[in-house]
Every structure is written in structure tokens, then in C-alpha cells.
Amino acid sequence: MRRRGEQREDGATLIAMENEPDKSYGSITMNAPVKPRDRNVFSDGSTRVDFVLVWEEPIHSQKEESTGVSPAHSKWREVFLNKLRLSGLLLEQKDVLQTKTKVTFVLLSAPWSVLCFYAEEISLRVPLQVVTAPIINWSEHFLSRLSLPNPFSQDVPNPPPDYFTCQFRTNKLQRFLGSEDRETFFKTTQRHQVLYEILARTPYGSVKKGEVGIDRLLSEKVFSAAYPLHEGGFQPPNPPVPPESFGLRQILYSYWATWSSWRRYQPLDHIREYFGEKIALYFAWLGFYTGWLLPASLVGVVVFLFGFWLVATDVPAKELCDSGDSFIMCPLCDICNHWNYSSICISFKAGILFDNGGTVFLSVFMSLWAVTFLEYWKRTCSALSHRWDCSEFEDIEERPRPEFTAMAPMTMRNPVTGAEEPYFPEKKRLKRTLTGCMVIIILIAVVLMVLIAIILYRTILSIIISKSKNFLSFSAARIASLSGSVLNLLFILILSKVYTSLAHILTRWEMHRTQTKYEDMFILKVFIFQFVNFYSSPVYIAFFKGSFVGYPGNYNTLLGLRNEDCGAGGCLIELAQELLVIMVGKQLINNIQEFIWPKLMSWWQKRKMRPRLKEVKEEEEEEEREEEENVSPWEEDYQLLLCEGLFSEYLEMVIQFGFITIFVAACPLAPLFALINNWVEIRLDAQKFVTEYRRPVAERAQDIGIWFPIMQLITHMAVLANAFLIAFTSSFLPRLYYGYTRDSTLSGFINFTLATSPRNYSRQHTPCRYRGFRDQDGKYLPEYFHLLAIRLAFVIVFEHVVFFIGRLIDLMVPDVPEDVEVKIKREHYMAKEALAENQSLGKFMIDGEKDVLARELRQRGSGASQLPQSESPPPNLTEIPEEPDTPHSC
């Protein structure tokens, strides 16, 4: 038995390690020169600023109602800030007066006791031992084996050290690396996580009404912003100093965000140290994907150039261009005239660039490329997640969302950890999820209605231009098709904005337990909609357009208008045009928006903050006047833009991944356009995060989430789509059939593909030709059924072969590299040795703090983040409840 306050002797055998005084865990530098003084501090010059809350109020008015300040907002702010004080946080208020508004900054800091308590509460990981394991890229390893110089490498200063880590336990504090320095023991990003956890779970009103957390207060405009501070400026010092003296933000700007770094490896460890694992994994995936686009682009360009050679040597193309008046074609619309087939000579040759035998090889190659890319990304991701201590994050370490914690109606024991956690009934969630599914179905119906409207628009515009009898009438179909593609892109972008906002509301209403599950369900909702939104028009052109036209004298109609037929050059060239407009057009719009829009918004924000009222009196000393005129770090960061997360970045890339895999047979240059876009995208995103965004709260992540299974689904769909595209839309199989059954030189192929108008039509109109395999009675010829059997057989053989080879690749490439498996086993063994005697831990003491029961802080609901006012601040504790008799694993 131990008395209250008595500290138990801990004899656990920890890892043998050297805790050198010049190696600090919280800092990323090892023996670096002294850096400029930290400005992210309170007025006392020593208390660190961990988080900032901001709100704006009009001035020079006496009545709150007339100024637009809501009394309810003021009350909520007051309650919220008081509860933050009760939770143990330190607060300091700063006012900045402008000509019309007063901007109030509340600086927040977490004392040591608060950090220790919440570090256990949210399972932060802290270091046990330094590990020297630099990231080795496969290209770097390959070039070193060949003794070749590596043009992609760069020497980035102050690489963050790697550690063996374990979940934080206060009673084991003295055994963790760097524990003697309380100021630097917890990393800056970990301090931000603790502050956000407190802010997100603190109620300010009725919990049943969802009046909980900083996110709700921001949405209600009670606060204007809430953010952690950047670590100094991003521009390198002037006059120049050694790179080792740079701050982390300056290192990221100089070695990552500048355009001169376009061909260099990304400093992933530095990105993770500053922004957290989630953002670092995004940039790791984007860089990995961009690197893999290089071989795909080379193959696509070779196939496209092969098409140029075919244009010069293709017998059917020469036959068509030299046919003169031999093939009089039937009118393309009800009011159109007959036309010569030879008039589409240029369009026919352009179609060969995209429709040739090389596209079959490219389709197989891209299908296997996608499978191999995903398999090797799994290996890379597993290595990174282990290196960054996130291998077991989702299964064991991830805590419930703070908003879920505060609003869940009941609690239930976690079957994995054994801890009592908030719980939301699955039946209620199922009902809400089904309601969200109905909304998705309704909006997908809206997208299909827009598609039908665009089809009718193209048909009507083609008729109008043909009637005009001017120089545009010869290109009526092409103009209608191109303008329809642009109009479709505009509708896509508008509907995307509307549905994304709606998906946020639906997912929040469904009450998902963890942040990972919440984001996965939100992403799934939006992607299903965006998939239909972006791909409906290309799918229609690839597989349906021109298939239900009919034949002269018996044309099929839609709403009284004759069904669309493919243009003069065929459907494949129209599909290539549609892909280029949607894919390249969207990329251009996004890149211009990402380049110009943040700069405009940042300029406007700074312009709003510029007219400050100077309150410096003449009798003040010159030093005080200069200090007053300097803009504080919290003001500088308030002028930056809000970071809206990674969803739009991932969505853009995954949609692009779909275009270059599903429809690559129609556009061999799609991988090249994607590669060029991604080179620009990496630098634009880096510049946004380093220079234009407020610093986001660091989040942990084990992988890229549901985006990976979405890409796996796209890969499987791409195999089927390319098989049907080659079989039914391309002229590859008809040419192959004709070469084997008629003439291997393809002489006479043009006449073979054209049918003659039926007799009853020819009696009333001029006899003409049309594309099809029918006799003069309009019935299908035997060749049609032969080709249909060949096409179906090709689809079956193609997808079976590709899926079989893809499965072999999956089996041959292990998901986790062998060296990573060894490291995981080694770390588990060391952690077990380090914390083997962590049974029956009862009481511990933090020196100089008062006794208080911690169980009040662990309660859920409205009391999740504060104690009754009669008690002391919760983290000032010397006792915790007895823990179960099982060892803690790292």
C-alpha cells in the first residue's frame, strides 16, 4: 500500500540511450547556431503563444445593436474564454484599433501541467531514443548503384532527427529523451494539438444544441479566426547567414517552395516537422505520383508520334482523301445537305493520331502502370508511416473527434483499448446516412439532367449554324461540340461548389466517431457525385453517342430531335477533345486560381488591417515607439488566408488520375499534361502552405485515407473502360477484321465501313452512304455480327489478361518492405522492455502543483473540458485513478 502523494519507485528497464544536452527533442536543429529571439511570446517575454483567437468589433458607436454586435455572441465569447481559463490555459488579450473596427487577439498558452495531462489524454508520442535513418528514394538508390550523380538531391540543412517513440506517460517522464527541458520537450506541433483539443471540446452553451467547440463558434462568426502561429518569417535573413541558422519556415521556403526547386526531392521530414504527418503524406504521395507519371508520359508521347507516322502511311486515309465525289454521304441532320466524304480528310487524319494500334498497347500499359503504382505507393506509405510513428494510429491511437466527444448521447467501452468512450447509436447513424444517400441520388439526377440539356444544346446549335449558310456552316458540328464541352465544364465547376458545401453539413449530422471516419465519409459522398459530374459527358461520348442514331428513313429521336451522331472524324477524336477541354481546362483554371486568388485575398486582408490608429504618445521613448510600430506575429498571421485542408487538392489529383487511366486510349498525351500540371501544382501548393496560408493545426495520419481504395476502384474501372473503348468506339478491330478477311493492305476499307441508304429512302431522296453494316433494306449484315462477337471476345480476353497480370504484380510486391518489418519488430521489442513494469500505476506527483482529482477532466459531455468553479484547474494534479493491470504498449 502507498500513501497519498507517495511516488512509487519505477524500476522499468528503459532503452540504453544518450541524452546529450545539445540535442533537443523539441527543436529540429542539432548544434545549430543561435537563432533570433522568439517573438511568439506573451508580454512577459517568456510565456510561449500556442494559439490565437481573434474577433472584430466596430468602434465609435454606443449601442451594440447599431454596430452589428450580437449580445448572444458576446455572451458566448465570455463563457467560452472563462471555461478556457478554468481548464488551466493562460490567456492574454491584445487590442488593435483601426479606423472603423477593433480587432481583438486572445493569446493562449498551455502550462506544463496542462500539456502533460492532455498529452496522455490524446496519446501523444514522445521520444525514447534517436535513430539515424535518412529517407532513401528508389531513384537515389538506383543512381548510387550505377555510380551516377543524382540531379534530384539537395543538401537541406538541419534535418529533423528520427526517434523510437512511445505514448507519453507522466510517471515515466524522467525516462523520455529531453525531459529535463520543459520548454522544448513537447514539439511546437504537439502543443498546437493540445490547444486545439481543448478548444474543440469546450462548450459555450447547450451541449444538446451542439453549442460546443471553436469550430462551431467560427461558423457562427463569434470568432473571426483561430490559428497557431508560424515560426517567424519565410524570407531568408538579410544580410545572408549560413543555412544552418535558418528557421524551419525559411528552410521550407528556400529548399521547397521556390520554383528553382522544381527538380529536387521534397524535404519530407521538414514538412512533417512543421505541418504534421497528414500534410507531409499528401506531398509525399503527390511527389511519388508525379515521378511515376514520367514513364507514362514517355510512352504516351511515343504512341502519339507513332500516330503521325501512321497518318503519312495509312492506306484508308489516302483512299478517303483521294475519293473526290465517290462517296456522297447522307445529311447529318434533318435540314442539312448531302456532303462528300472526302471533305473530312483532315479530320479523318487527325483521328488517326488518337485511334491507332498503338492505343491498344498504351491501354494495357496504363492499366498495369496504375496497378504497379498503387502497389509501390503502399510500400512507400508503410515506410513513411512507420518512420513518422503512425503505423497503428487508426487502429489504436486515434481518439474520438472533440465535437463527437461533447455531443455524443452516451458512452461505451472501447473493445480495443478498454477505455470508456462516447458512443452514438448505429441505428440513428444508419438513418442519417440513408438520408444523405437520397440527397446524393437527387443531385446525381440533376447532373444527368444537365447532361441531357447539353446534348440538346449541341443538336439545336448545330441546326442553327447549318441554317445560317455562312462560312461557319461547314463546321457546325465541331463548333457545337466544342462549345458544349466548355458549357459542360462551367456546369461541373458550379455544381461541385454547391454539393461540397452540402456534403459538409450531411457528414457532420451523421456523427462519425473519429476524424478519419468523418473525412472518409465526406470524401466518399463528394467523390461519388464528382465522379458522375466529371465523367458523365466523356462516358456518353465514348460509349453511347452515335450508337442509337438509326439509319436513313428510320432515324431515332429524343424530344423530337434526331439523336446525335459522331462527328466527321469519329467519336474518338470528339472524346479526346472533351478530355482536353475538361481535364486541361480544369487544371488551367485551378492553377490560375491557386496562383492569383490567394495573392488577391492576402492583399485585401492586409489592406483591411493597414489603417491602424497609432496610440504612441510623443513623450514615449524612441525604442518604445519603434516597437509599437512593428507588426506583431499574430497580426501578420491574421493577414494570411485560412487553410481549407487537403480535400480539394486530393480531389483534383484523383479526378486527374481517372482521366489518364479510364480514357487514355482516346488521348495518349493525357499523362504528359498531367505531369506538367503536377510539377506546377507541387510548387504552388508549397508556396500556399509556407507563405500564404495561416499555419494549420498539425494532424496525424496513417495513410492517405479513403483516396487509396478510390484509386483502386478507378484502376479496375479503367481496365473495363479501355477494353470497351477499343472494342466498340475505336476502328482498331474493324481494321483488324478487314485485314484478315479481305485485304491485308486495307485497300477498300473505307467502302467496307459504309452502307448504302435503303431503297424506300432512295426513292424520295438522292441515294447516299452512311457509316454502318446494313443492307439496302436496313437490316444488319453478317459482318456486323462477326464484328460484335470479336468485340465481346476482345473485352473478355483484354480484361482477364490485364487483371491476371495485375494480380501477379500485387502478389509479387509485398505491402511492407522487409527492412520496415524488421524495424517494427525491433521497436515493439524495445518498447516492451522499456515499459515492462507499467502495471498497477497509481499515483504520481508533478512538483509544485496542488492536489486535484483528474476524473473530472475525463468526464464526457458538457464537463469535458472544465471542472466546477469550486475546484482548482484540472491539470494541477498529483493523483490519477488506478489503471488496469496491463502493460502499456507503444
Side-chain angles (χ1 to χ4, degrees):
M1 296 291 291
R2 296 188 304 279
R3 296 178 183 176
R4 178 180 177 84
E6 181 182 352
Q7 188 169 11
R8 183 188 178 209
E9 180 67 24
D10 195 334
T13 302
L14 199 63
I15 301 169
M17 58 186 169
E18 296 179 0
N19 190 2
E20 299 178 19
D22 61 345
K23 292 185 178 180
S24 171
Y25 164 60
S27 172
I28 67 151
T29 59
M30 308 288 283
N31 300 323
V34 178
K35 294 186 175 60
R37 69 179 182 89
D38 190 0
R39 298 176 62 214
N40 298 348
V41 292
F42 281 21
S43 298
D44 60 11
S46 59
T47 305
R48 296 176 60 175
V49 177
D50 296 319
F51 226 89
V52 180
L53 302 180
V54 190
W55 73 86
E56 298 182 8
E57 291 178 325
I59 57 176
H60 301 310
S61 187
Q62 300 187 3
K63 292 186 178 181
E64 282 191 338
E65 289 78 10
S66 64
T67 63
V69 178
S70 169
H73 287 188
S74 300
K75 180 182 178 182
W76 285 345
R77 260 197 309 267
E78 182 180 356
V79 171
F80 188 72
L81 295 177
N82 285 335
K83 291 191 175 183
L84 291 181
R85 290 188 183 94
L86 289 175
S87 67
L89 297 183
L90 304 177
L91 282 71
E92 182 174 275
Q93 185 168 318
K94 303 278 189 180
D95 293 331
V96 175
L97 298 179
Q98 298 177 324
T99 53
K100 295 183 180 180
T101 59
K102 180 181 74 171
V103 183
T104 301
F105 297 88
V106 177
L107 312 182
L108 305 177
S109 180
W112 174 251
S113 54
V114 175
L115 291 172
C116 287
F117 184 87
Y118 279 95
E120 279 199 64
E121 183 78 6
I122 63 178
S123 303
L124 290 183
R125 299 184 72 91
V126 289
L128 293 170
Q129 185 180 16
V130 176
V131 181
T132 54
I135 293 181
I136 302 296
N137 293 281
W138 66 268
S139 56
E140 187 175 1
H141 179 71
F142 177 74
L143 292 172
S144 65
R145 293 285 297 272
L146 298 177
S147 300
L148 295 175
N150 189 353
F152 308 111
S153 65
Q154 61 177 340
D155 186 15
V156 184
N158 305 337
D162 191 17
Y163 301 96
F164 285 131
T165 62
C166 180
Q167 290 184 16
F168 177 77
R169 292 290 179 265
T170 310
N171 61 296
K172 295 285 185 181
L173 177 63
Q174 71 279 10
R175 299 181 181 274
F176 293 121
L177 192 62
S179 58
E180 70 283 348
D181 189 350
R182 293 185 174 187
E183 289 299 316
T184 60
F185 177 68
F186 290 108
K187 295 189 291 186
T188 305
T189 51
Q190 291 178 325
R191 297 175 71 98
H192 298 165
Q193 287 174 291
V194 168
L195 265 292
Y196 182 74
E197 180 75 16
I198 298 173
L199 291 171
R201 67 162 67 174
T202 300
Y204 58 89
S206 171
V207 176
K208 291 184 178 180
K209 295 180 180 179
E211 295 172 348
V212 176
I214 187 62
D215 292 331
R216 178 71 181 272
L217 289 169
L218 290 172
S219 65
E220 296 282 354
K221 307 298 182 184
V222 178
F223 289 100
S224 304
Y227 51 90
L229 294 177
H230 278 291
E231 297 177 19
F234 61 86
Q235 291 287 0
N238 193 14
V241 298
E244 290 76 14
S245 299
F246 284 9
L248 183 50
R249 191 182 183 197
Q250 293 169 331
I251 291 175
L252 289 175
Y253 177 76
S254 302
Y255 293 88
W256 180 47
T258 54
W259 291 104
S260 59
S261 304
W262 67 271
R263 64 182 179 89
R264 303 294 188 182
Y265 294 132
Q266 299 183 87
L268 295 178
D269 280 339
H270 294 75
I271 299 170
R272 177 247 183 170
E273 187 76 13
Y274 195 77
F275 291 111
E277 290 82 4
K278 191 170 189 177
I279 291 176
L281 275 174
Y282 163 72
F283 281 105
W285 174 81
L286 182 56
F288 187 83
Y289 171 47
T290 303
W292 272 72
L293 280 174
L294 189 58
S297 303
L298 291 175
V299 175
V301 170
V302 170
V303 170
F304 186 71
L305 295 177
F306 175 70
F308 274 105
W309 177 77
L310 280 181
V311 167
T313 59
D314 188 62
V315 173
K318 188 175 184 303
E319 212 173 68
L320 181 142
C321 294
D322 296 340
S323 61
D325 298 334
S326 302
F327 303 114
I328 305 297
M329 304 297 293
C330 298
L332 294 175
C333 63
D334 292 336
I335 62 169
C336 299
N337 298 321
H338 293 77
W339 54 285
N340 288 329
Y341 205 25
S342 59
S343 64
I344 65 162
C345 175
I346 296 176
S347 298
F348 188 86
K349 287 184 175 181
I352 296 175
L353 295 175
F354 302 96
D355 184 5
N356 57 68
T359 58
V360 180
F361 167 76
L362 183 62
S363 299
V364 176
F365 174 82
M366 288 302 296
S367 299
L368 299 178
W369 171 90
V371 173
T372 311
F373 159 69
L374 293 179
E375 288 303 314
Y376 275 92
W377 166 248
K378 276 197 292 188
R379 289 170 58 85
T380 303
C381 184
S382 65
L384 288 175
S385 63
H386 172 260
R387 177 183 177 85
W388 294 340
D389 305 311
C390 297
S391 298
E392 299 175 344
F393 174 67
E394 293 179 10
D395 296 330
I396 297 176
E397 300 174 27
E398 188 170 19
R399 303 287 301 170
R401 287 190 307 127
E403 188 177 1
F404 177 84
T405 299
M407 296 180 61
M410 61 184 70
T411 61
M412 180 174 288
R413 186 172 297 277
N414 188 314
V416 177
T417 63
E420 195 76 14
E421 291 185 352
Y423 177 76
F424 189 81
E426 290 296 332
K427 288 185 178 180
K428 288 186 179 180
R429 182 180 292 118
L430 180 60
K431 291 179 181 178
R432 296 184 179 189
T433 304
L434 291 176
T435 303
C437 292
M438 295 303 297
V439 175
I440 296 175
I441 292 172
I442 292 172
L443 287 173
I444 287 176
V446 172
V447 173
L448 296 179
M449 290 170 62
V450 169
L451 176 62
I452 294 172
I454 291 175
I455 293 171
L456 295 175
Y457 160 82
R458 283 198 295 249
T459 304
I460 295 171
L461 183 64
S462 180
I463 293 173
I464 292 174
I465 295 176
S466 298
K467 279 185 175 181
S468 62
K469 302 296 183 182
N470 56 25
F471 68 97
L472 295 177
S473 59
F474 296 103
S475 304
R478 184 67 59 212
I479 293 172
S481 177
L482 184 60
S483 61
S485 299
V486 175
L487 189 63
N488 184 44
L489 175 61
L490 295 177
F491 273 112
I492 285 172
L493 297 177
I494 293 171
L495 290 174
S496 298
K497 294 289 185 183
V498 173
Y499 183 72
T500 302
S501 301
L502 184 59
H504 269 296
I505 298 172
L506 290 173
T507 310
R508 194 179 301 116
W509 181 55
E510 290 172 4
M511 287 288 289
H512 295 286
R513 175 180 169 272
T514 64
Q515 186 67 21
T516 299
K517 186 66 175 176
Y518 172 88
E519 291 178 356
D520 286 351
M521 294 307 296
F522 169 73
I523 291 168
L524 187 61
K525 284 186 184 66
V526 177
F527 181 77
I528 291 173
F529 173 79
Q530 297 285 43
F531 184 87
V532 178
N533 197 16
F534 276 96
Y535 296 145
S536 57
S537 182
V539 166
Y540 163 73
I541 294 174
F543 304 115
F544 300 103
K545 186 175 182 180
S547 300
F548 309 101
V549 177
Y551 55 91
N554 190 25
Y555 287 115
N556 300 319
T557 59
L558 174 66
L559 301 178
L561 296 174
R562 179 172 149 185
N563 287 351
E564 272 192 309
D565 197 356
C566 293
C571 279
L572 213 59
I573 192 172
E574 286 194 35
L575 178 59
Q577 170 193 291
E578 185 80 4
L579 292 176
L580 290 175
V581 169
I582 295 178
M583 177 182 162
V584 179
K586 181 179 181 296
Q587 290 177 350
L588 284 175
I589 291 173
N590 284 347
N591 286 335
I592 292 172
Q593 182 179 343
E594 290 180 8
F595 182 75
I596 297 177
W597 183 251
K599 290 177 170 53
L600 289 176
M601 294 299 295
S602 181
W603 171 82
W604 178 250
Q605 189 79 355
K606 291 177 182 177
R607 188 175 181 273
K608 282 173 34 180
M609 293 291 294
R610 192 170 296 160
R612 296 179 58 183
L613 292 181
K614 307 295 183 183
E615 295 187 344
V616 182
K617 299 180 180 179
E618 294 181 0
E619 61 270 16
E620 291 181 339
E621 297 180 357
E622 185 68 24
E623 294 179 0
E624 294 177 347
R625 181 180 296 112
E626 291 177 358
E627 185 175 351
E628 180 71 16
E629 289 177 352
N630 288 334
V631 179
S632 62
W634 38 92
E635 290 180 69
E636 289 179 349
D637 286 7
Y638 185 55
Q639 295 172 4
L640 301 177
L641 303 179
L642 173 66
C643 177
E644 297 180 350
L646 297 171
F647 167 75
S648 59
E649 313 294 344
Y650 270 119
L651 180 64
E652 179 185 353
M653 291 297 105
V654 173
I655 292 291
Q656 178 200 92
F657 179 78
F659 278 126
I660 68 170
T661 52
I662 295 178
F663 302 108
V664 71
C667 189
L669 292 179
L672 176 64
F673 290 126
L675 175 65
I676 296 171
N677 172 80
N678 291 5
W679 268 332
V680 176
E681 182 76 21
I682 290 176
R683 301 308 148 196
L684 286 178
D685 287 348
Q687 288 180 3
K688 286 191 304 183
F689 277 95
V690 175
T691 68
E692 294 165 353
Y693 280 167
R694 296 173 193 151
R695 189 175 185 178
V697 178
E699 295 183 62
R700 300 186 70 202
Q702 185 172 332
D703 47 38
I704 61 174
I706 201 172
W707 293 114
F708 185 81
I710 285 175
M711 286 190 290
Q712 285 181 314
L713 176 64
I714 289 175
T715 301
H716 287 86
M717 293 180 62
V719 176
L720 296 175
N722 283 300
F724 279 96
L725 199 62
I726 295 169
F728 289 92
T729 308
S730 169
S731 64
F732 172 74
L733 289 182
R735 284 171 176 253
L736 205 62
Y737 172 76
Y738 184 82
Y740 274 103
T741 59
R742 299 287 201 283
D743 189 340
S744 59
T745 63
L746 297 183
S747 179
F749 176 75
I750 294 297
N751 185 60
F752 171 73
T753 59
L754 299 179
T756 305
S757 55
R759 296 186 183 91
N760 56 355
Y761 178 87
S762 300
R763 293 192 190 101
Q764 304 172 7
H765 305 84
T766 304
C768 56
R769 309 292 295 273
Y770 64 97
R771 284 190 290 260
F773 296 97
R774 296 177 183 267
D775 58 19
Q776 289 194 342
D777 295 323
K779 297 180 180 179
Y780 286 117
L781 294 170
E783 287 81 359
Y784 170 81
F785 296 103
H786 296 164
L787 270 174
L788 180 61
I790 293 171
R791 285 167 168 162
L792 293 175
F794 175 84
V795 169
I796 295 172
V797 172
F798 182 93
E799 58 95 5
H800 272 68
V801 170
V802 174
F803 280 140
F804 175 73
I805 298 176
R807 183 59 180 163
L808 283 181
I809 295 173
D810 189 4
L811 294 174
M812 292 170 61
V813 180
D815 293 347
V816 181
E818 185 178 353
D819 59 333
V820 174
E821 288 185 345
V822 173
K823 289 178 183 178
I824 292 174
K825 292 176 182 178
R826 172 66 177 163
E827 187 166 348
H828 282 180
Y829 170 77
M830 297 176 74
K832 183 179 179 181
E833 289 292 312
L835 302 178
E837 295 184 9
N838 202 27
Q839 298 181 5
S840 303
L841 295 176
K843 302 172 183 178
F844 67 93
M845 179 175 291
I846 298 178
D847 295 337
E849 305 292 349
K850 299 178 182 179
D851 292 352
V852 70
L853 293 177
R855 64 175 180 272
E856 294 293 333
L857 189 64
R858 299 182 184 276
Q859 67 183 3
R860 307 298 179 187
S862 62
S865 60
Q866 79 285 342
L867 290 172
Q869 296 192 17
S870 61
E871 298 183 359
S872 302
N876 302 336
L877 50 97
T878 59
E879 183 176 2
I880 59 171
E882 293 288 337
E883 298 187 4
D885 293 336
T886 54
H888 292 288
S889 61
C890 288

